[in-house]
Amino acid sequence: MSKKILKNSLHQLHSFRAYSKFTEDDVRSALGSVCRKFAESELMPIASKLDKECQFPASQIQKLGSLGAMGILVPSDYGGAGLDTAALSIAVQEISRGCGGTSAIVNIHNALYADLISRFGSNDQKEKYLPNFVNGTHIGGFALSESASGSDAAGLQTTATATSCGFILNGTKAWVTNAKEAKAIIVFAVTNPQKRHRGISAFIVDIPSEGLVIGKNEDKLGIRASSTCDIVLQDTPVTRDNLLGEEGQGFKIAMSGLDCARIGIAAQAVGIAQAALDCATKYAYQRKAFGNPLLNFQAVQHRIARMATQLEAAKLMALSAAKARDCNPFCTKEASMAKLMASEAATFVTHNCIQILGGMGYVSDMPAERHYRDARITEIYGGVSDIQLTVIAEHVVRNYGFSKK
């Protein structure tokens, strides 16, 4: 598939939806095909190298930008593909089959940068911070977590002090994906400490900026093609024009973005699990023991059956959550359920992939161990599984009319 055809395919999907002869399933099938072929041709051949060298896939991100995959939720007026959350879920899933680290870059950029500016930004902010970010030229980031407030997103210590010109930011942000490559980042800071979560605001901060220091790239277990750094803000000035949304609206903006990101993480987990199932099944077909292919042994067949069943359930939940968000941008329960189910399925599938490969699953000559390492983060970032369980329980109990005592 030529680059020109790839580019046209994704950007035209939005316009295809206007014609009755193209159903939603047709659009998603075409999108999945485009991203699958990109992953197979552009990512799979280099995924191991990206992982071992912690190398950012700059060329591939630029190509994904020209393809339309870096602005899937952004309207075409600002250079985006103008598609929906279900489309983002499918794109991330297929990219994850090729490289888990690259899919992390794509998901965070789409869900926690481009979409937030698209939905909450002013016209001037959209004009400045979207076009070059959705075409693959620039990358955006999201800075919410801190060392003392990871799961407790309302307990931020970073402050934004109002001045005559805007705000002065002070604090340290942790676990910022894409920080090393980002040209702009959405930073959440406390503007009114008395109001707790209602006193948090969001700011678009240019990189570089005065007083902003990017820390070292963390040496991670998996998704090593993506950078993860601390960001230190020391009297960093931000104009009032760079306040995203209204003052005090930051927590709402962050939670809305995390719903989308969690659905993307579920899709990422599905893609990684699919790659692991592909690897295990192919190996079991080719590898012989006692004169027979491993696939002839019932124990291996049962492992593959359980892997495929959990993968299918996770895939359906991820797509269901994406469709729910397309009906309501605040779909916290569905997003948490999808992330919980898919991330645990990914860990299960990648673990069993290694078991089927045996010793070959434990060495880097085969991708099984990389899939396992990449899968582990899906149970952690975007909110650990324990937090997802708490969130789900709160929503279920609330549906019965009960509340916490």
Side-chain angles (χ1 to χ4, degrees):
M1 201 176 219
S2 71
K3 182 178 177 181
K4 181 177 179 181
I5 295 175
L6 281 172
K7 177 179 178 180
N8 290 340
S9 295
L10 189 50
H11 280 292
Q12 287 177 354
L13 289 176
H14 176 64
S15 60
F16 285 170
R17 299 172 71 184
Y19 299 95
S20 58
K21 65 178 181 178
F22 291 102
T23 67
E24 293 289 338
D25 287 339
D26 291 333
V27 172
R28 294 186 185 112
S29 177
L31 171 64
S33 178
V34 170
C35 292
R36 186 178 309 116
K37 290 176 180 178
F38 181 89
E40 290 172 351
S41 62
E42 296 283 345
L43 296 175
M44 287 183 183
I46 63 170
S48 178
K49 182 176 185 291
L50 296 177
D51 173 74
K52 290 177 180 177
E53 299 179 4
C54 297
Q55 180 181 330
F56 181 80
S59 175
Q60 286 68 34
I61 291 298
Q62 289 179 352
K63 290 177 182 178
L64 284 168
S66 65
L67 178 63
M70 301 306 287
I72 290 177
L73 302 174
V74 175
S76 56
D77 292 347
Y78 299 100
L83 299 174
D84 55 17
T85 314
L88 176 61
S89 178
I90 289 171
V92 170
Q93 177 182 318
E94 293 297 344
I95 293 168
S96 298
R97 286 184 62 237
C99 175
T102 301
S103 70
I105 297 165
V106 172
N107 183 45
I108 298 300
H109 173 85
N110 272 282
L112 295 178
Y113 175 82
D115 183 52
L116 292 183
I117 292 179
S118 176
R119 290 193 293 121
F120 295 99
S122 65
N123 289 333
D124 288 343
Q125 288 171 345
K126 293 175 186 178
E127 290 287 353
K128 182 177 180 181
Y129 292 106
L130 283 179
N132 283 334
F133 287 82
V134 301
N135 67 15
T137 303
H138 297 331
I139 290 288
F142 177 89
L144 175 66
S145 294
E146 298 175 5
S147 59
S149 60
S151 298
D152 180 14
L156 300 184
Q157 300 298 310
T158 298
T159 60
T161 304
T163 68
S164 59
C165 300
F167 299 86
I168 297 294
L169 304 185
N170 280 283
T172 301
K173 293 297 183 179
W175 313 113
V176 183
T177 302
N178 299 337
K180 189 176 178 183
E181 297 80 19
K183 293 298 182 182
I185 196 160
I186 300 176
V187 175
F188 295 84
V190 177
T191 47
N192 189 333
Q194 279 72 43
K195 291 186 176 181
R196 193 164 163 74
H197 70 278
R198 291 187 178 87
I200 296 172
S201 300
F203 303 88
I204 307 171
V205 180
D206 292 292
I207 298 178
S209 280
E210 178 185 341
L212 187 151
V213 178
I214 298 174
K216 69 177 181 66
N217 190 13
E218 298 289 351
D219 188 7
K220 305 189 297 292
L221 175 71
I223 59 167
R224 292 165 63 84
S226 66
S227 65
T228 305
C229 308
D230 285 356
I231 287 184
V232 180
L233 302 150
Q234 299 174 318
D235 293 330
T236 300
V238 179
T239 66
R240 186 163 287 275
D241 289 340
N242 276 31
L243 174 67
L244 181 63
E246 299 176 2
E247 190 171 336
Q249 197 180 13
F251 188 79
K252 176 184 176 182
I253 292 172
M255 293 304 102
S256 173
L258 285 173
D259 283 348
C260 184
R262 286 168 179 166
I263 294 169
I265 293 168
Q268 179 188 24
V270 167
I272 294 168
Q274 182 67 64
L277 179 60
D278 295 344
C279 175
T281 306
K282 181 179 179 181
Y283 184 84
Y285 175 75
Q286 295 174 339
R287 174 76 162 87
K288 289 186 177 182
F290 306 103
N292 289 290
L294 292 183
L295 270 180
N296 286 6
F297 295 97
Q298 189 179 64
V300 174
Q301 293 172 6
H302 285 184
R303 279 190 188 272
I304 290 175
R306 290 192 176 94
M307 292 161 71
T309 301
Q310 288 212 24
L311 172 59
E312 187 65 21
K315 187 182 299 184
L316 291 172
M317 285 200 73
L319 183 58
S320 176
K323 290 180 178 180
R325 184 179 183 270
D326 289 328
C327 296
N328 178 8
F330 293 93
C331 57
T332 303
K333 183 185 75 171
E334 294 83 356
S336 291
M337 284 180 165
K339 181 185 180 299
L340 177 69
M341 175 69 185
S343 62
E344 292 187 348
T347 297
F348 175 83
V349 172
T350 54
H351 165 80
N352 277 277
C353 175
I354 290 177
Q355 292 301 112
I356 290 173
L357 269 66
M360 291 304 297
Y362 202 68
V363 298
S364 60
D365 288 344
M366 294 289 284
E369 58 86 29
R370 170 166 51 84
H371 297 325
Y372 180 79
R373 290 186 288 105
D374 285 348
R376 290 298 298 115
I377 191 60
T378 64
E379 291 190 78
I380 299 171
Y381 72 167
V384 296
S385 294
D386 308 79
I387 291 297
Q388 304 312 315
L389 289 167
T390 298
V391 169
I392 294 164
E394 286 179 350
H395 280 78
V396 171
V397 169
R398 194 181 305 156
N399 288 342
Y400 280 94
F402 303 138
S403 60
K404 286 183 178 180
K405 291 184 178 180

